[in-house]
Amino acid sequence: MEKLLKSYLSLCCLLVLFSCKNETSLNASEKRESAEKTYKAAIQFRQGSTAFQNGIAEAVTIDPTYEPGVYELSVADLKRGLPHKWLPQYNKAVKMDSVTRIPWRGYLYLWFYRDYKKAIADFDASDTLTPDFIDAPQGHSVDYWRGIAYLGLNDYKNSNAYFEKHITKETKEFGEDYVDITAFLYNGISYFEAGDYEKALLNFNKQLEYSRNLSADAKYYKAQIFIAEDKNKEALETINEAIDDYNQGYNNKRAYVETLRQIYPQDLTVLKSKIEKL
């Protein structure tokens, strides 16, 4: 048995040595092809799993210039909340594809780390990198993301300016009904916090128009505006609708992280109690 085990281990060592020698003898094109093949096999597994991570690492070992693999190695650390590991790895991908990765880094700074200033810096940099093209990480333009980042900084003037730019461009190119309803919501919140209730209501009503009148968030803010306008009956009706919408799941939220200005049941019930005492 001992002899058999030694033979098996020797065979494994020979196979590893042969594999390493074989990989190092490949030319650049062959390395890329091998890395892509290994990468595609790895991503069949659940993201972050041992098989996934090991497969991606192997692809990058084969070809350290294979950008999709270099980027993917950073994702697990991002989702685990390990910025000291995520950023150095992600920046390796930035060096290989700055046009794609810089606006995406801004998006990640925005949502995973709430570093609004760094997010804006990356969105601004993307304008320099692609002056004739508006980048759209995660399906939204950098103008939309800048609007959210400036709202996070309580800079309502810039927040509204970028939301208006985004909404105007989308409406002109595709029609107003194409605009994501959260653009109207956040634009409305920014106007609300700046004290411009007229424009806030305009945007909240736009969101409700395109969401079949279902939005706990829009109605939560509308109820507050009605209070400010001494329309207490309308405020109570609206907050009750907001509570119903929330209970049905019609509220603004995100996967992995809390969204900006996310509301919770207690926000709604506290406001309702306030209205009932007026």
Side-chain angles (χ1 to χ4, degrees):
M1 176 62 75
E2 187 178 347
K3 274 188 173 184
L4 183 62
L5 180 59
K6 286 181 178 179
S7 298
Y8 175 75
L9 291 173
S10 297
L11 178 61
C12 287
C13 290
L14 285 171
L15 288 172
V16 169
L17 288 171
F18 176 78
S19 175
C20 292
K21 182 179 179 182
N22 198 34
E23 292 293 353
T24 56
S25 66
L26 296 177
N27 61 38
S29 177
E30 290 170 331
K31 284 182 179 179
R32 175 54 54 88
E33 184 179 347
S34 179
E36 287 180 347
K37 183 177 180 181
T38 304
Y39 175 87
K40 288 177 180 177
I43 60 176
Q44 301 304 311
F45 297 96
R46 180 175 55 82
Q47 190 180 53
S49 66
T50 301
F52 181 96
Q53 291 297 115
N54 288 347
I56 298 298
E58 183 183 347
V60 174
T61 299
I62 295 169
D63 183 358
T65 68
Y66 185 54
E67 192 274 339
V70 173
Y71 157 75
E72 193 62 56
L73 278 180
S74 74
V75 175
D77 290 329
L78 171 76
K79 293 181 178 179
R80 289 169 182 154
L82 302 172
H84 63 293
K85 291 186 176 182
W86 162 71
L87 187 58
Q89 181 63 36
Y90 189 92
N91 283 343
K92 292 178 184 178
V94 170
K95 291 178 181 179
M96 296 177 185
D97 184 4
S98 59
V99 170
T100 301
R101 297 305 172 192
I102 284 179
W104 263 97
R105 187 176 61 188
Y107 167 83
L108 299 174
Y109 276 139
L110 170 61
W111 287 115
F112 284 84
Y113 296 106
R114 291 295 198 268
D115 194 327
Y116 304 120
K117 291 182 179 179
K118 285 185 178 179
I120 291 167
D122 275 348
F123 298 144
D124 290 346
S126 75
D127 288 343
T128 303
L129 290 168
T130 57
D132 300 318
F133 176 77
I134 297 178
D135 294 279
Q138 199 71 349
H140 287 304
S141 75
V142 290
D143 290 331
Y144 171 92
W145 296 127
R146 266 187 291 232
I148 292 177
Y150 276 114
L151 177 58
L153 291 172
N154 299 324
D155 183 342
Y156 309 125
K157 182 178 179 180
N158 275 313
S159 177
N160 289 131
Y162 279 109
F163 278 125
E164 292 291 353
K165 182 182 176 184
H166 169 77
I167 292 169
T168 298
K169 185 176 184 298
E170 295 279 286
T171 300
K172 182 178 179 181
E173 293 185 358
F174 308 106
E176 190 178 74
D177 58 346
Y178 182 85
V179 179
D180 191 294
I181 57 173
T182 54
F184 293 119
L185 173 65
Y186 279 123
N187 200 25
I189 291 173
S190 192
Y191 278 125
F192 171 84
E193 295 189 359
D196 191 335
Y197 294 155
E198 183 179 351
K199 288 184 178 178
L201 277 173
L202 175 67
N203 279 274
F204 295 141
N205 287 334
K206 285 289 183 185
Q207 187 202 355
L208 291 167
E209 177 183 349
Y210 294 114
S211 63
R212 297 178 293 121
N213 197 41
L214 295 167
S215 171
D217 302 82
K219 292 174 183 177
Y220 171 71
Y221 285 100
K222 283 188 67 173
Q224 293 179 74
I225 293 173
F226 288 142
I227 292 173
E229 295 176 343
D230 293 323
K231 298 178 180 177
N232 298 336
K233 180 182 178 182
E234 290 90 335
L236 185 58
E237 291 174 352
T238 304
I239 197 62
N240 281 331
E241 289 182 16
I243 292 170
D244 288 341
D245 289 354
Y246 192 99
N247 290 337
Q248 294 181 66
Y250 295 107
N251 61 296
N252 187 34
K253 52 188 178 293
R254 295 183 62 80
Y256 301 114
V257 296
E258 182 182 69
T259 196
L260 191 66
R261 303 297 195 275
Q262 184 163 334
I263 62 172
Y264 293 93
Q266 58 267 35
D267 297 311
L268 301 172
T269 55
V270 167
L271 182 58
K272 180 177 179 179
S273 295
K274 177 182 175 180
I275 297 168
E276 289 174 335
K277 292 175 183 177
L278 294 175

